């Protein structure tokens, strides 16, 4: 495993055409080199790892058997696609994957013609493949369509919806089930365990082949060649080992699902420098264990995100009260609703981006019935390296329009715990929404924390120039505090997006010449927009600058880089404020007076 | 079928306890009387009809066998629950169902302790039942849980997610599949047709019984009694006839799914008075046929709403290009994405409330990849008698935060056609959003219609008092025009919610003392909120009154009644405007000057 060993075979493969020209005898060597490259690259740079170790042979066999990119190859989610990127001209790019301007974390149509469909969330491949197969039929283009979905991806409702449609419409389509028994953690659900998968697919109108060994290249090639030229909806069940070929990852595929830098020989992860500050996920997990120990009504539900959501300890201590439902966000929400009807206090731990999957259930089953379910929304705002498909950019906008829902944005570790407590006391649904990564340490609050109220952290003392108030939602409070020193601004930790502290907003409007909202979420319909609505509803007219995520999809990079890219670091915030102040100054000159002039309502 | 014939048996049944005490010999008579009552009531009042005719015997058998409400009986959707309402003390209330203060259109926990879980959307019953069964287990309350789901409901992804979880967790739960072969129209999907349902459920870890005749009371009672006291996840497959016992409905269950008043003897529907004004659904359907005749790339996708979405004609004329995917909104959206990748121009016809189910797919599969798919969003805003679960109240808020998406709100029939044309020309996803019911006739526009622009319909000429501009989104433009005469207000048809006509907003702000937005959607994050954001972003400060739906769930009634209830009829709008003007007047008095005073930014 020497980094300088050349890749004698892999080095020749710039695209699948070269792969298809390779002598059969060299394929095994190619697989070895691909695995070695993957281990070396991930050890240096980190990234999603173990799933890709399991798909080396499958990827070779698929690109060798099918005429990609003319034939459409659609991968579900994308955790397993490093081998695919390697064979489609992006091997060296993997060094920079997930970084700014580097390769995409998952699949991207913009990145390669071999990425037939972008991915990131689970279960989308079958629907996309069905659409492509139908299009090929209607356009009489005789291309083949292959979708690769994991046994984890098969637990999503949308995968079932697609199967049910494909089976009935008899679309010409090959589904590969990449069965490694794992979601990020162990896969769950009745379909797990292989024995009944054939019956399941037959019942849905598919012909079923397998299971076959997904690391046996010859069997893969033979089987795919045979299935390539049959017709109708058909499934090939391929059994793979997550982490295959790298012993530490085979032994602990959960730890090696996504990795930071590690020693390729020992498998030991590099220890992060500095003191360990707890992440929000950890704060939530610890809080939940403590709360559950006090209150037997508490149960926890996760859609296949035990590790990421900080639930490992809870699952160990309270196995009966822990529900991993698979990648099934819709079911997770309505399961919670059913439990809440019976007096339990369900806590749904979910990533912001995946809550988009349970949106209707949140409205229809929870909010309309006003059932007390707590949402612990992790990975809110910019998530960093997982990129556009995973940012939790929209939650404040899509949540705050829902009646009966309480939405809170903690700004530090203590606030997070306090808000989780407050959420448990709600009579209806409540959400506490926090970002990926470490929580700031608690500020000494100038005001006591109470339900529904904001708190003033700093008061402007200026007597010269415009008085400015910064209204921060969540962690960006700390960036606001930094620029407040320069602007001598009032700083308010707004805490609640819903209900909003209208009274405070009116007070601030009365004593400041400019209000500025700051949030780690899209501006359109977000928390700043709510402040604008509050001002309007109260008949108050004061300049309002809303700062947050832009109206475009932000790509990948570190969270700090992306915050800076969006102007949400202290320097960016300051620039925006100063630019706005200059604009207001200009507009208050006589020639532009009309728009910003005082309302003339009273002057009949 | 005489309305005055007394209900000798049904009249005695005030609740299921009375049903359980009834001599077995009277059950058949009870079923007859229930059916007669249902026909008479629906003939007089209209409502969801044919599905309930099919569940008379099943409902009797369930309430007689199980100890409701202690045992939990959970109905999916609720179209089939008139017999359930009859037997649980709500028979006479059915006369006023769906009207203001009348019985709920579907199920409601607030209405009856026998409604174990509220319903309206499809596929929720299994998740709710799983939650209740888990709670019963954890709390050691030995109650039984029964869910009744149709074969249509089984096509939803969330039903599969629940089955997969229940089968694995071995929750103690009985699922009744009420198989009538129908969604609102013919059910679709590979599971349709009964033969393979046993294999499907077995593969998911359920014991399977059936199929049995759902109109044979004795078989139902015997089977349910046997299954009541077995354990684990089990399913009973019951075959019923939609429309059973009423010949016209049996012959045409689609026409009698939901009915307006009809002659109970002949089955003839009352013809509505006045001239027939086309509905938006009809305008869309006609437009689609014409567009598809011109452009072979156009295909249409519906999640089981062929009739409601105006697609009957398209399905007939272009059967190869028509895709009814079942109650599968998630799949519908990503299927469209796959087709768009291949150069087709998919049109997804969907109700606003059901698009909530495809929200993640819209963001993740369409908007991120910027694929050209047209959403024809029907039933936007208040829908009327279908009530809280069906209002399309949230779409403007949850759509306008999504980058790359274009969102249009037509105000009349001509605008609707024009916008559908414009949407087809978009390079990315676009939505045209319109309400239930008839479209207003086209106004003579003062300005030509062009992409991205609003249009001025009326200009204020006032020189006395405050100059007011009404910015209307969608059909409520016509209410705005009515009050504009009284206020001598400028009226603008905003047309686009996204992108917003910022230039127009700045112009209006420059020449008016008050801007008023009007929309048929929630205020929080809605179109008015977008106007506020636009003003803020442009550094403009002018009083803004946002009028729209309140932050609560609106119940059922006629659309006009509900609009009035929400203050969105002309009288209500005028009241709100006048009240706001008075508030501004008060605040401009010296003592309250600060908040609404001119920005002092320039005065250093």
């Amino acid at each position: 495993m020497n980094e300088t060993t050349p890749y004698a075979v892999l080095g020749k493969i710039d695209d699948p055409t070269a792969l298809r020209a390779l002598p059969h005898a060299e394929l095994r060597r190619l697989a070895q080199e691909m695995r070695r490259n993957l281990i070396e690259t991930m050890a240096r740079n980190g990234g999603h790892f173990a799933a890709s170790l399991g798909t080396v042979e499958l990827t070779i066999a698929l690109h060798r058997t099918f005429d990609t990119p003319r034939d459409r190859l659609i991968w579900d989610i994308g955790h397993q696609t490093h081998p695919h990127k390697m064979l489609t001209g992006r091997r060296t790019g993997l060094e920079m994957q997930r970084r700014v301007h580097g390769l995409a974390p998952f699949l991207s149509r913009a990145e390669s013609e071999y990425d037939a469909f972008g991915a990131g969330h689970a279960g989308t491949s079958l629907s996309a493949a069905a659409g492509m197969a139908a299009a090929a039929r209607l356009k009489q283009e005789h291309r083949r369509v292959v979708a690769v979905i994991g046994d984890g991806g098969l637990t999503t409702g949308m995968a079932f919806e697609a199967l049910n449609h494909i089976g009935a419409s008899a679309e010409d389509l090959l589904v590969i089930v990449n069965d490694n028994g794992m979601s990020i953690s162990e896969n769950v659900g009745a379909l797990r365990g292989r024995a009944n998968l054939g019956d399941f697919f037959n019942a849905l109108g598919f012909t079923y082949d397998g299971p076959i060994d997904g690391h046996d290249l010859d069997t893969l090639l033979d089987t795919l060649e045979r299935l390539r030229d049959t017709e109708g909806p058909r499934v090939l069940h391929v059994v793979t080992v997550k982490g295959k070929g790298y012993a530490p990852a085979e032994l602990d595929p959960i730890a090696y699902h996504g990795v930071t830098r590690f020693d390729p020989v020992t498998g030991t992860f590099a220890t992060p420098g500095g003191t360990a500050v707890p992440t929000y996920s950890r704060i939530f997990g610890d809080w939940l264990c403590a709360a559950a120990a006090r209150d037997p009504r508490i149960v926890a539900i996760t859609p296949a995100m035990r590790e990421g959501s900080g639930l490992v300890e809870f699952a160990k201590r309270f196995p009966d009260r822990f529900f991993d439902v698979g990648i099934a966000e819709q079911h997770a929400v309505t399961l919670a609703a059913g439990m809440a009807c019976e007096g339990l206090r369900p806590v749904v731990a979910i990533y912001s981006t995946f809550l988009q999957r349970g949106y209707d259930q949140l409205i229809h089953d929870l909010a309309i019935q006003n059932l007390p379910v707590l949402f612990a929304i992790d990975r809110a705002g910019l998530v960093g390296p997982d990129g556009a498909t995973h940012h939790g950019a929209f939650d404040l906008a899509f949540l705050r329009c829902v009646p009966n829902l309480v939405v809170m944005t903690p700004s530090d570790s203590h606030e997070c715990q306090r808000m989780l407590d407050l959420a448990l006391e709600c009579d209806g649904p409540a959400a506490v929404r926090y970002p990926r990564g470490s929580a700031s340490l608690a500020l000494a609050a100038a005001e006591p924390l109470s339900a529904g109220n904001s708190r003033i952290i700093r008061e402007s003392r200026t007597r010269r120039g415009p008085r400015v108030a910064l209204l921060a939602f969540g962690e960006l409070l700390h960036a606001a505090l930094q620029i407040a020193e320069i602007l001598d601004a009032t700083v308010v930790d707004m805490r609640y997006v819903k209900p909003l502290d209208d009274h405070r907003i009116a007070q601030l409007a009365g004593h400041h010449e400019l209000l500025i909202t700051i949030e780690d979420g899209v501006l359109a319909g977000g928390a700043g927009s709510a402040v604008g609505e509050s001002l309007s509803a109260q008949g108050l007219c004061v300049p309002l600058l809303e700062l947050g995520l832009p109206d475009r999809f932000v790509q990948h990079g570190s969270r700090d880089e992306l915050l800076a890219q969006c102007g949400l670091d202290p320097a960016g915030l300051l620039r925006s404020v100063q630019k706005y102040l200059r604009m207001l100054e200009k507009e208050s000159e006589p020639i532009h007076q009309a728009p910003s002039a005082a309302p003339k309502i009273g002057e009949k």
Side-chain angles (χ1 to χ4, degrees), chain A residues 488-564:
Chain A
D488 188 18
T490 298
V491 177
V492 182
D493 183 2
M494 291 300 292
R495 305 180 73 238
Y496 280 73
V497 174
K498 183 172 190 157
L500 200 61
D501 192 343
D502 294 312
H503 183 67
R504 175 84 69 195
I505 290 168
Q507 279 182 332
L508 294 170
H511 297 94
H512 295 82
E513 282 75 48
L514 173 60
L515 305 189
I516 301 166
T517 60
I518 301 177
E519 67 193 294
D520 183 9
V522 285
L523 285 174
S529 171
V531 172
E533 289 167 23
S534 172
L535 289 169
S536 293
Q538 299 184 74
L540 302 175
C541 203
V542 59
L544 172 69
L545 169 60
E546 299 168 23
L547 298 175
L549 296 179
D551 187 30
R552 61 175 176 82
F553 288 101
V554 177
Q555 299 302 317
H556 42 282
S558 74
R559 185 171 143 84
D560 283 344
E561 284 170 318
L562 299 184
L563 281 170

Side-chain angles (χ1 to χ4, degrees), chain A residues 352 355-356 359 362-363 394-402 525:
Chain A
S352 171
L355 183 53
Q356 293 163 191
Y359 188 48
L362 192 154
I363 296 172
F394 307 108
D395 54 2
L396 296 182
F398 73 69
L399 289 177
R400 78 174 183 86
C401 63
V402 180

Side-chain angles (χ1 to χ4, degrees), chain A residues 299-526:
Chain A
V299 293
I301 300 174
T302 173
M305 283 291 172
R306 183 180 60 195
E307 282 72 20
S309 297
L311 291 172
V312 172
E313 184 64 22
F314 183 93
K316 268 188 215 152
R317 285 183 55 189
F318 306 98
D320 287 352
R321 292 153 69 183
F322 173 72
F323 295 81
D324 177 354
V325 296
I327 310 176
E329 292 81 5
Q330 304 186 94
H331 172 59
V333 175
T334 306
L335 178 74
M339 290 170 165
C341 287
E342 301 294 358
L344 297 182
R345 279 301 181 118
V347 178
V348 178
I350 194 163
Y351 288 12
S352 171
T353 187
F354 299 135
L355 183 53
Q356 293 163 191
R357 283 269 174 100
Y359 188 48
D360 182 56
Q361 289 73 17
L362 192 154
I363 296 172
H364 181 270
D365 298 318
L366 284 183
I368 289 182
Q369 304 192 97
N370 201 22
L371 293 169
V373 169
L374 191 167
F375 284 87
I377 304 180
D378 204 330
R379 309 304 201 265
L382 294 169
V383 295
D386 278 344
T389 55
H390 281 59
H391 295 311
F394 307 108
D395 54 2
L396 296 182
F398 73 69
L399 289 177
R400 78 174 183 86
C401 63
V402 180
N404 293 339
L405 186 66
V406 170
V407 183
M408 294 180 254
T409 54
S411 56
D412 63 41
S413 54
H414 177 247
E415 276 282 276
C416 186
Q417 292 157 355
R418 172 81 180 120
M419 286 177 178
L420 290 164
D421 282 335
L422 287 169
L424 260 196
E425 289 164 20
C426 288
D427 295 329
V432 180
R433 179 243 196 224
Y434 43 82
R436 182 180 184 166
S438 300
S440 294
L441 295 175
L443 293 171
E447 292 185 277
L449 313 177
S450 61
N453 288 342
S454 60
R455 54 175 186 162
I456 291 190
I457 307 293
R458 184 188 191 283
E459 286 201 75
S460 168
R461 284 166 301 260
T462 196
R463 303 217 166 261
R464 304 169 304 121
R467 246 187 327 203
V468 167
L470 300 165
L471 291 70
F473 293 86
E475 263 286 337
L476 292 180
L477 172 68
H478 304 277
L481 276 169
Q482 289 186 46
I483 67 166
E485 293 303 319
I486 298 160
L487 297 167
D488 188 18
T490 298
V491 177
V492 182
D493 183 2
M494 291 300 292
R495 305 180 73 238
Y496 280 73
V497 174
K498 183 172 190 157
L500 200 61
D501 192 343
D502 294 312
H503 183 67
R504 175 84 69 195
I505 290 168
Q507 279 182 332
L508 294 170
H511 297 94
H512 295 82
E513 282 75 48
L514 173 60
L515 305 189
I516 301 166
T517 60
I518 301 177
E519 67 193 294
D520 183 9
V522 285
L523 285 174

Side-chain angles (χ1 to χ4, degrees), chain A residues 71-139:
Chain A
D71 288 345
R72 306 303 193 212
L73 174 57
I74 303 144
W75 298 91
D76 210 73
I77 307 182
H79 287 152
Q80 77 291 49
T81 53
H82 291 70
H84 165 77
K85 292 206 179 197
M86 276 184 207
L87 295 180
T88 53
R90 288 172 281 176
R91 176 168 60 86
T92 55
L94 286 174
E95 297 278 345
M96 291 291 288
Q97 194 186 24
R98 295 158 56 86
R99 302 195 203 166
V100 171
H101 304 309
L103 284 188
F106 303 104
L107 297 162
S108 162
R109 284 170 55 83
E111 185 173 289
S112 168
E113 60 178 339
Y114 292 93
D115 293 359
F117 200 71
H121 291 192
T124 66
S125 61
L126 303 183
S127 298
M132 292 181 187
R137 178 170 50 77
L138 288 173
K139 296 170 78 182

